[in-house]
Short mmCIF file of all heavy atoms in Angstrom, two decimals:
data_model
loop_
_atom_site.label_atom_id
_atom_site.label_comp_id
_atom_site.label_asym_id
_atom_site.label_seq_id
_atom_site.Cartn_x
_atom_site.Cartn_y
_atom_site.Cartn_z
N ASP A 1 120.79 95.94 93.57
CA ASP A 1 121.43 97.25 93.87
C ASP A 1 122.51 97.50 92.86
O ASP A 1 122.72 98.78 92.43
CB ASP A 1 122.05 97.31 95.30
CG ASP A 1 123.03 96.20 95.42
OD1 ASP A 1 123.06 95.13 94.79
OD2 ASP A 1 123.94 96.31 96.39
N GLN A 2 123.18 96.44 92.21
CA GLN A 2 124.23 96.71 91.25
C GLN A 2 123.50 97.09 89.93
O GLN A 2 124.06 97.79 89.16
CB GLN A 2 125.20 95.56 91.11
CG GLN A 2 126.00 95.24 92.31
CD GLN A 2 126.98 94.06 92.02
OE1 GLN A 2 127.34 93.72 91.03
NE2 GLN A 2 127.41 93.54 93.25
N VAL A 3 122.46 96.50 89.59
CA VAL A 3 121.60 96.76 88.42
C VAL A 3 121.23 98.32 88.59
O VAL A 3 121.38 98.98 87.47
CB VAL A 3 120.33 95.84 88.27
CG1 VAL A 3 119.47 96.33 87.16
CG2 VAL A 3 120.73 94.44 88.16
N ALA A 4 120.80 98.73 89.71
CA ALA A 4 120.46 100.07 89.81
C ALA A 4 121.57 101.07 89.63
O ALA A 4 121.49 102.03 88.91
CB ALA A 4 119.83 100.38 91.22
N ALA A 5 122.71 100.67 90.12
CA ALA A 5 123.95 101.51 90.00
C ALA A 5 124.31 101.57 88.47
O ALA A 5 124.61 102.68 87.98
CB ALA A 5 125.15 100.91 90.75
N ALA A 6 124.25 100.46 87.76
CA ALA A 6 124.58 100.49 86.33
C ALA A 6 123.58 101.30 85.56
O ALA A 6 123.88 102.00 84.63
CB ALA A 6 124.60 99.08 85.81
N ALA A 7 122.29 101.10 85.93
CA ALA A 7 121.27 102.01 85.27
C ALA A 7 121.42 103.51 85.55
O ALA A 7 121.33 104.32 84.47
CB ALA A 7 119.83 101.54 85.85
N ARG A 8 121.87 103.84 86.75
CA ARG A 8 122.11 105.25 86.95
C ARG A 8 123.32 105.82 86.19
O ARG A 8 123.41 106.97 85.84
CB ARG A 8 122.34 105.50 88.53
CG ARG A 8 121.05 105.31 89.29
CD ARG A 8 121.22 105.65 90.80
NE ARG A 8 120.01 105.54 91.55
CZ ARG A 8 119.64 104.37 92.29
NH1 ARG A 8 120.64 103.49 92.40
NH2 ARG A 8 118.56 104.24 92.91
N GLU A 9 124.34 105.01 85.88
CA GLU A 9 125.42 105.38 85.11
C GLU A 9 124.98 105.57 83.71
O GLU A 9 125.47 106.59 83.05
CB GLU A 9 126.55 104.17 85.12
CG GLU A 9 127.79 104.58 84.48
CD GLU A 9 127.85 104.56 82.98
OE1 GLU A 9 127.13 103.65 82.42
OE2 GLU A 9 128.54 105.31 82.27
N HIS A 10 124.10 104.72 83.10
CA HIS A 10 123.65 105.01 81.83
C HIS A 10 122.80 106.28 81.85
O HIS A 10 122.87 107.10 80.85
CB HIS A 10 122.64 103.86 81.40
CG HIS A 10 123.40 102.71 80.70
ND1 HIS A 10 123.31 102.56 79.37
CD2 HIS A 10 124.28 101.85 81.15
CE1 HIS A 10 124.06 101.48 78.92
NE2 HIS A 10 124.66 101.05 79.95
N ILE A 11 121.92 106.57 82.79
CA ILE A 11 121.16 107.72 82.95
C ILE A 11 121.96 108.98 82.98
O ILE A 11 121.77 110.00 82.30
CB ILE A 11 120.12 107.62 84.11
CG1 ILE A 11 119.14 106.67 83.86
CG2 ILE A 11 119.56 109.07 84.35
CD1 ILE A 11 118.18 106.27 85.08
N ASP A 12 123.14 108.84 83.73
CA ASP A 12 124.06 110.03 83.91
C ASP A 12 124.79 110.36 82.49
O ASP A 12 124.91 111.46 82.22
CB ASP A 12 125.07 109.72 84.92
CG ASP A 12 126.04 110.89 85.18
OD1 ASP A 12 125.48 111.94 85.55
OD2 ASP A 12 127.21 110.74 84.93
N TYR A 13 125.00 109.31 81.73
CA TYR A 13 125.59 109.44 80.38
C TYR A 13 124.66 110.35 79.55
O TYR A 13 125.18 111.30 78.93
CB TYR A 13 125.84 108.07 79.75
CG TYR A 13 126.28 108.21 78.24
CD1 TYR A 13 127.58 108.32 77.87
CD2 TYR A 13 125.27 108.12 77.26
CE1 TYR A 13 127.97 108.35 76.59
CE2 TYR A 13 125.55 108.24 75.98
CZ TYR A 13 126.91 108.38 75.60
OH TYR A 13 127.34 108.47 74.29
N TYR A 14 123.43 110.08 79.55
CA TYR A 14 122.42 110.85 78.77
C TYR A 14 122.25 112.23 79.43
O TYR A 14 122.07 113.10 78.64
CB TYR A 14 121.18 110.08 78.57
CG TYR A 14 121.28 108.82 77.69
CD1 TYR A 14 121.10 107.51 78.19
CD2 TYR A 14 121.56 108.96 76.39
CE1 TYR A 14 121.25 106.49 77.36
CE2 TYR A 14 121.70 107.83 75.43
CZ TYR A 14 121.57 106.54 76.07
OH TYR A 14 121.78 105.51 75.27
N HIS A 15 122.16 112.29 80.69
CA HIS A 15 121.90 113.49 81.41
C HIS A 15 123.06 114.54 81.10
O HIS A 15 122.73 115.75 80.86
CB HIS A 15 121.88 113.26 82.83
CG HIS A 15 121.75 114.60 83.70
ND1 HIS A 15 120.61 115.40 83.64
CD2 HIS A 15 122.66 115.17 84.44
CE1 HIS A 15 120.90 116.41 84.43
NE2 HIS A 15 122.12 116.25 84.87
N GLN A 16 124.28 114.08 80.91
CA GLN A 16 125.32 114.96 80.57
C GLN A 16 125.23 115.62 79.13
O GLN A 16 125.72 116.67 78.92
CB GLN A 16 126.72 114.23 80.70
CG GLN A 16 127.12 113.91 81.99
CD GLN A 16 128.49 113.11 82.18
OE1 GLN A 16 129.17 113.22 81.19
NE2 GLN A 16 128.67 112.33 83.21
N ARG A 17 124.53 114.91 78.27
CA ARG A 17 124.31 115.33 76.94
C ARG A 17 123.01 116.06 76.81
O ARG A 17 122.82 116.87 75.79
CB ARG A 17 124.43 114.10 75.95
CG ARG A 17 125.87 113.64 75.84
CD ARG A 17 125.95 112.22 75.46
NE ARG A 17 127.36 111.78 75.36
CZ ARG A 17 128.11 111.51 76.39
NH1 ARG A 17 127.66 111.61 77.70
NH2 ARG A 17 129.35 111.21 76.26
N LEU A 18 122.10 115.80 77.64
CA LEU A 18 120.84 116.54 77.67
C LEU A 18 120.39 116.70 79.12
O LEU A 18 119.92 115.74 79.71
CB LEU A 18 119.71 115.63 76.84
CG LEU A 18 118.35 116.31 76.78
CD1 LEU A 18 118.30 117.53 75.96
CD2 LEU A 18 117.32 115.29 76.25
N PRO A 19 120.54 117.80 79.73
CA PRO A 19 120.25 118.06 81.10
C PRO A 19 118.85 117.69 81.51
O PRO A 19 118.55 117.41 82.68
CB PRO A 19 120.53 119.63 81.35
CG PRO A 19 121.56 119.97 80.23
CD PRO A 19 121.21 119.06 79.05
N ASP A 20 117.91 117.75 80.56
CA ASP A 20 116.51 117.45 80.89
C ASP A 20 116.29 115.99 81.03
O ASP A 20 115.23 115.55 81.49
CB ASP A 20 115.59 118.07 79.77
CG ASP A 20 115.49 119.52 79.79
OD1 ASP A 20 115.75 120.09 80.84
OD2 ASP A 20 115.04 120.19 78.83
N PHE A 21 117.34 115.13 80.65
CA PHE A 21 117.14 113.66 80.88
C PHE A 21 117.33 113.44 82.33
O PHE A 21 118.49 113.20 82.83
CB PHE A 21 118.26 112.97 79.99
CG PHE A 21 118.02 111.56 79.77
CD1 PHE A 21 117.56 111.02 78.59
CD2 PHE A 21 118.18 110.71 80.83
CE1 PHE A 21 117.37 109.72 78.34
CE2 PHE A 21 117.93 109.38 80.60
CZ PHE A 21 117.60 108.88 79.39
N GLN A 22 116.28 113.42 83.12
CA GLN A 22 116.31 113.20 84.54
C GLN A 22 115.37 112.08 84.97
O GLN A 22 114.23 112.36 85.47
CB GLN A 22 115.84 114.59 85.23
CG GLN A 22 116.82 115.73 84.94
CD GLN A 22 116.48 117.01 85.71
OE1 GLN A 22 115.62 117.05 86.50
NE2 GLN A 22 117.28 118.10 85.53
N ALA A 23 115.80 110.96 84.66
CA ALA A 23 115.10 109.75 85.04
C ALA A 23 115.30 109.37 86.47
O ALA A 23 116.41 109.51 86.92
CB ALA A 23 115.32 108.60 84.11
N SER A 24 114.32 108.67 87.10
CA SER A 24 114.58 108.16 88.39
C SER A 24 114.63 106.61 88.33
O SER A 24 114.14 106.01 87.44
CB SER A 24 113.51 108.61 89.34
OG SER A 24 112.17 108.07 88.94
N VAL A 25 115.30 105.94 89.31
CA VAL A 25 115.41 104.54 89.39
C VAL A 25 114.84 104.03 90.75
O VAL A 25 115.12 104.70 91.83
CB VAL A 25 116.97 104.09 89.25
CG1 VAL A 25 117.05 102.58 89.51
CG2 VAL A 25 117.55 104.53 88.04
N GLN A 26 113.99 103.10 90.72
CA GLN A 26 113.29 102.64 91.91
C GLN A 26 113.37 101.07 91.96
O GLN A 26 112.89 100.39 91.10
CB GLN A 26 111.83 103.11 91.92
CG GLN A 26 111.11 102.76 93.08
CD GLN A 26 109.55 103.22 93.11
OE1 GLN A 26 109.27 104.22 92.38
NE2 GLN A 26 108.75 102.59 93.77
N VAL A 27 113.79 100.63 93.00
CA VAL A 27 113.90 99.17 93.30
C VAL A 27 112.71 98.85 94.07
O VAL A 27 112.35 99.44 95.06
CB VAL A 27 115.18 98.74 94.11
CG1 VAL A 27 115.10 97.28 94.38
CG2 VAL A 27 116.43 99.18 93.30
N CYS A 28 111.86 97.86 93.62
CA CYS A 28 110.65 97.47 94.16
C CYS A 28 110.35 95.92 94.11
O CYS A 28 111.12 95.20 93.51
CB CYS A 28 109.47 98.29 93.56
SG CYS A 28 109.18 97.90 91.82
N ASP A 29 109.28 95.56 94.70
CA ASP A 29 108.90 94.18 94.65
C ASP A 29 107.53 93.89 94.08
O ASP A 29 106.83 92.93 94.37
CB ASP A 29 108.91 93.52 96.15
CG ASP A 29 107.93 94.25 97.00
OD1 ASP A 29 107.28 95.14 96.61
OD2 ASP A 29 107.75 93.74 98.17
N THR A 30 107.09 94.82 93.22
CA THR A 30 105.79 94.70 92.76
C THR A 30 105.63 94.72 91.27
O THR A 30 104.60 94.98 90.62
CB THR A 30 104.93 95.99 93.24
OG1 THR A 30 105.56 97.15 92.82
CG2 THR A 30 104.75 96.02 94.72
N ILE A 31 106.77 94.34 90.50
CA ILE A 31 106.61 94.13 89.13
C ILE A 31 107.07 92.70 88.77
O ILE A 31 107.79 92.03 89.40
CB ILE A 31 107.53 95.17 88.33
CG1 ILE A 31 109.04 94.95 88.77
CG2 ILE A 31 107.10 96.57 88.58
CD1 ILE A 31 110.00 95.82 87.94
N ALA A 32 106.48 92.24 87.61
CA ALA A 32 106.73 90.82 87.15
C ALA A 32 108.01 90.65 86.47
O ALA A 32 108.60 89.53 86.52
CB ALA A 32 105.50 90.42 86.35
N SER A 33 108.52 91.69 85.73
CA SER A 33 109.80 91.51 84.99
C SER A 33 110.80 92.15 85.79
O SER A 33 110.67 92.87 86.84
CB SER A 33 109.57 92.31 83.73
OG SER A 33 109.14 93.61 83.87
N ALA A 34 112.12 91.82 85.34
CA ALA A 34 113.32 92.35 86.04
C ALA A 34 113.35 93.86 86.05
O ALA A 34 113.73 94.52 87.01
CB ALA A 34 114.50 91.73 85.50
N LEU A 35 113.13 94.36 84.85
CA LEU A 35 113.14 95.90 84.67
C LEU A 35 111.82 96.31 83.93
O LEU A 35 111.37 95.68 83.16
CB LEU A 35 114.43 96.25 83.74
CG LEU A 35 115.75 95.86 84.27
CD1 LEU A 35 116.79 96.21 83.16
CD2 LEU A 35 116.08 96.57 85.52
N MET A 36 111.50 97.53 84.16
CA MET A 36 110.20 98.09 83.61
C MET A 36 110.27 99.62 83.63
O MET A 36 110.67 100.16 84.62
CB MET A 36 108.98 97.62 84.37
CG MET A 36 107.69 98.09 83.85
SD MET A 36 106.24 97.53 84.79
CE MET A 36 104.97 98.49 84.08
N VAL A 37 110.03 100.29 82.59
CA VAL A 37 109.92 101.61 82.42
C VAL A 37 108.47 102.21 82.39
O VAL A 37 107.65 101.58 81.67
CB VAL A 37 110.71 102.28 81.16
CG1 VAL A 37 110.37 103.72 80.90
CG2 VAL A 37 112.19 101.99 81.38
N ALA A 38 108.18 103.23 83.26
CA ALA A 38 106.89 103.79 83.23
C ALA A 38 107.18 105.32 83.27
O ALA A 38 107.73 105.91 84.20
CB ALA A 38 106.15 103.50 84.50
N GLN A 39 106.91 105.90 82.06
CA GLN A 39 107.14 107.34 81.82
C GLN A 39 108.62 107.69 82.10
O GLN A 39 109.50 107.16 81.35
CB GLN A 39 106.18 108.21 82.66
CG GLN A 39 104.67 107.97 82.18
CD GLN A 39 103.70 108.72 83.04
OE1 GLN A 39 104.00 109.70 83.74
NE2 GLN A 39 102.42 108.32 82.97
N ASP A 40 108.96 108.44 83.12
CA ASP A 40 110.30 108.84 83.36
C ASP A 40 110.98 107.95 84.47
O ASP A 40 111.98 108.44 85.04
CB ASP A 40 110.43 110.38 83.62
CG ASP A 40 109.59 110.70 84.95
OD1 ASP A 40 108.83 109.86 85.40
OD2 ASP A 40 109.73 111.90 85.34
N ARG A 41 110.40 106.84 84.87
CA ARG A 41 110.84 106.03 85.88
C ARG A 41 111.27 104.68 85.46
O ARG A 41 110.65 104.10 84.62
CB ARG A 41 109.76 105.86 87.02
CG ARG A 41 109.43 107.20 87.67
CD ARG A 41 108.08 107.01 88.53
NE ARG A 41 107.05 106.80 87.60
CZ ARG A 41 105.83 106.33 87.97
NH1 ARG A 41 105.67 106.00 89.32
NH2 ARG A 41 104.82 106.11 87.12
N LEU A 42 112.41 104.17 86.03
CA LEU A 42 112.94 102.82 85.75
C LEU A 42 112.60 102.04 87.00
O LEU A 42 113.17 102.37 88.05
CB LEU A 42 114.35 102.83 85.40
CG LEU A 42 115.03 101.45 85.19
CD1 LEU A 42 114.29 100.60 84.01
CD2 LEU A 42 116.52 101.50 85.04
N PHE A 43 111.83 101.00 86.93
CA PHE A 43 111.54 100.14 88.00
C PHE A 43 112.49 98.80 87.94
O PHE A 43 112.63 98.25 86.84
CB PHE A 43 110.10 99.69 88.09
CG PHE A 43 109.14 100.78 88.44
CD1 PHE A 43 108.55 101.53 87.39
CD2 PHE A 43 108.95 101.23 89.73
CE1 PHE A 43 107.64 102.59 87.72
CE2 PHE A 43 108.12 102.19 90.02
CZ PHE A 43 107.43 102.89 89.02
N ILE A 44 113.06 98.39 89.04
CA ILE A 44 113.94 97.27 88.97
C ILE A 44 113.39 96.36 90.20
O ILE A 44 113.19 96.76 91.29
CB ILE A 44 115.37 97.62 89.36
CG1 ILE A 44 115.92 98.54 88.33
CG2 ILE A 44 116.27 96.39 89.44
CD1 ILE A 44 117.33 99.17 88.60
N SER A 45 113.01 95.13 89.78
CA SER A 45 112.56 94.22 90.76
C SER A 45 113.76 93.81 91.77
O SER A 45 114.85 93.57 91.38
CB SER A 45 112.11 92.84 90.07
OG SER A 45 111.81 91.84 91.04
N GLU A 46 113.32 93.86 93.04
CA GLU A 46 114.32 93.52 94.09
C GLU A 46 114.78 92.08 93.97
O GLU A 46 115.82 91.79 94.60
CB GLU A 46 113.78 93.94 95.42
CG GLU A 46 112.64 93.09 95.86
CD GLU A 46 112.20 93.46 97.25
OE1 GLU A 46 112.46 94.58 97.69
OE2 GLU A 46 111.55 92.74 97.86
#
């Protein structure tokens, strides 16, 4: 949950400079690595 909060802060930094930067963050249990990007989504292993 803290990883997700830090990731959203980074995303907000870019969003303020480019409004179209609208990435989503999803915590899940179905990825092998700690973090993974798929298109406009950031997956975080729970």
Side-chain angles (χ1 to χ4, degrees):
D1 60 336
Q2 293 184 25
V3 175
R8 291 188 179 99
E9 189 278 327
H10 269 253
I11 290 170
D12 185 60
Y13 171 88
Y14 290 115
H15 174 70
Q16 291 180 22
R17 287 151 182 80
L18 181 67
D20 288 342
F21 197 109
Q22 297 184 3
S24 63
V25 177
Q26 180 179 338
V27 178
C28 64
D29 62 354
T30 57
I31 61 173
S33 55
L35 301 174
M36 177 181 175
V37 165
Q39 297 177 17
D40 59 350
R41 295 167 293 167
L42 174 65
F43 293 96
I44 300 172
S45 172
E46 64 181 22

